[in-house]
Amino acid sequence: MSTNVKDKIPSSPSPTPSSSLSSLTPFVHFSKGINGLDKVILRDSRGSSAEVYLYGGHVTSWKNDNGEELLFLSSKAVFKPPKAIRGGIPICFPQFANHGTLDSHGFARNRFWSVEDDPPPFPTNTLNKSFVDLILKPSEEDMKVWPHSFEFRVRVALGPGGGLMLTSRIRNTNSDGKPFSFTFAYHTYFSVSDISEVRVEGLETLDYLDNLQNKERFTEQGDALTFESGVDKIYLHTPTKIAIIDHEKKRTFVLRKDGLPDAVVWNPWDKKAKAMADFGDDEYKHMLCVEAAAIEKAITLKPGEEWKGRLEFSAVPSSYCSGQLDPQRVLQGT
């Protein structure tokens, strides 16, 4: 699927208010989280789980069958609107970072989403019973800063093998006939043992924009990405599969994405970490953001058109040969 795949779909019924929720299915239930914020807990029969806060439509936890946390969430994260939650998977929409006139990363991560009982259908894994559908529509305040009507749906699902899947669908519902454009990212924070022991495979030889050097364009060198200082890069025209290898944990995260041509790699390192009130001074050592995104070329939708961006994560044991992972084995899925 390209970033410009769009379909006309019918209007949907109104979402279910969060206050009416209790237990949705044996695999999905509703709960109160930190500071009383509503959250949805997903579980599968093998023991993996995920937690999604309605504030921000924000995935804050993804655990494997052994109960190990796979996402990074800062110990200083603030669960108090309008502050965005530091860690997990913030959704950046309708603007990534400062690529526009809105506040950094747009407003979707700072809004309360609703659970949608009966969203418009789309193909999905019939074996997948642990999922939740959320929807966001603009408020009057949102329309003042970004004067466009939209419906933003996201499905968060656990796969049969314990993987995590996010599918976003954004539809232009403007009644004035006007198109709109946006940029987007799943700002995923992965939990790693030690940032100095992490490699990222799949971005070799690609062009990138370096946000630490005024968005200047460079070409990546070397066999893989390793980390010895802060990084904030937007890789362009990236493959559909990217691997994050954590040598110490002998674990590899595999990202598979569709409709999201770019990939952001970010770690603040020590000085910036200390400057962030909602981030521990040394926490940069145990996280890495690798973000599936659509940034360089904004997505434009005419009224009635819909864009879809899909992201799937899996965590698998790393395979070694002389201390090195064979990147082609992971990237080719063999």
Side-chain angles (χ1 to χ4, degrees):
M1 181 200 311
S2 72
T3 55
N4 293 319
V5 172
K6 307 159 192 168
D7 303 296
K8 290 184 181 293
I9 61 174
S11 297
S12 65
S14 299
T16 300
S18 62
S19 60
S20 68
L21 298 173
S22 54
S23 180
L24 303 178
T25 76
F27 303 96
V28 183
H29 71 273
F30 187 76
S31 180
K32 292 290 184 181
I34 297 172
N35 290 336
L37 293 174
D38 293 330
K39 68 178 180 180
V40 180
I41 301 174
L42 308 177
R43 300 186 189 278
D44 78 355
S45 58
R46 297 175 57 182
S48 62
S49 67
E51 295 188 3
V52 189
Y53 275 74
L54 298 193
Y55 177 60
H58 195 133
V59 178
T60 56
S61 174
W62 169 41
K63 294 180 180 179
N64 63 16
D65 298 355
N66 297 321
E68 296 174 291
E69 181 59 65
L70 303 174
L71 298 178
F72 167 85
L73 184 70
S74 174
S75 63
K76 294 188 175 182
V78 178
F79 286 75
K80 187 176 182 180
K83 180 70 175 176
I85 299 168
R86 174 71 67 184
I89 311 178
I91 294 175
C92 302
F93 170 85
Q95 174 184 300
F96 175 78
N98 59 354
H99 291 246
T101 59
L102 301 177
D103 290 343
S104 182
H105 291 325
F107 51 74
R109 65 184 185 146
N110 308 96
R111 298 294 182 267
F112 284 94
W113 295 54
S114 299
V115 172
E116 190 174 28
D117 283 338
D118 189 22
F122 61 94
T124 187
N125 187 341
T126 56
L127 297 176
N128 181 4
K129 298 179 181 178
S130 185
F131 65 89
V132 64
D133 289 298
L134 304 180
I135 186 169
L136 177 70
K137 297 180 181 180
S139 66
E140 290 184 7
E141 291 302 311
D142 296 335
M143 296 286 283
K144 291 178 182 178
V145 297
W146 200 67
H148 302 292
S149 180
F150 65 88
E151 292 176 348
F152 185 159
R153 292 176 170 86
V154 62
R155 171 171 288 190
V156 182
L158 284 175
L164 182 66
M165 294 168 282
L166 291 88
T167 304
S168 288
R169 297 185 292 168
I170 297 169
R171 183 163 69 106
N172 182 336
T173 57
N174 278 337
S175 59
D176 58 8
K178 293 183 179 179
F180 62 66
S181 298
F182 62 91
T183 52
F184 177 94
Y186 292 113
H187 197 317
T188 309
Y189 289 71
F190 290 95
S191 175
V192 299
S193 56
D194 182 342
I195 187 63
S196 65
E197 296 294 325
V198 171
R199 294 162 55 93
V200 176
E201 307 277 6
L203 302 176
E204 303 82 359
T205 74
L206 298 182
D207 286 356
Y208 64 87
L209 306 177
D210 194 334
N211 289 322
L212 299 182
Q213 299 194 47
N214 297 315
K215 300 184 178 70
E216 190 173 346
R217 189 169 182 139
F218 298 94
T219 301
E220 188 60 59
Q221 307 295 324
D223 295 332
L225 276 63
T226 56
F227 304 94
E228 298 176 349
S229 61
V231 59
D232 189 355
K233 298 176 179 179
I234 303 170
Y235 288 85
L236 311 174
H237 310 294
T238 59
T240 58
K241 195 180 293 187
I242 300 169
I244 305 168
I245 300 99
D246 187 333
H247 289 305
E248 190 170 313
K249 288 190 176 179
K250 295 183 171 58
R251 172 189 295 150
T252 296
F253 292 109
V254 181
L255 286 67
R256 296 175 178 85
K257 57 191 181 68
D258 193 17
L260 298 158
D262 304 322
V264 181
V265 178
W266 180 72
N267 183 293
W269 223 251
D270 53 352
K271 290 184 179 179
K272 187 169 182 178
K274 292 177 181 178
M276 294 188 289
D278 60 346
F279 195 94
D281 290 355
D282 293 324
E283 288 185 330
Y284 73 92
K285 298 176 182 178
H286 305 297
M287 56 73 62
L288 178 66
C289 286
V290 179
E291 313 166 28
I295 300 169
E296 183 194 28
K297 184 178 180 181
I299 295 159
T300 300
L301 296 177
K302 297 176 183 177
E305 288 185 332
E306 181 182 81
W307 167 86
K308 184 166 75 171
R310 185 174 184 274
L311 178 61
E312 180 178 351
F313 307 118
S314 57
V316 298
S318 297
S319 301
Y320 286 81
C321 180
S322 302
Q324 299 292 318
L325 177 81
D326 177 1
Q328 293 307 310
R329 182 175 181 185
V330 169
L331 296 175
Q332 293 171 2
T334 57

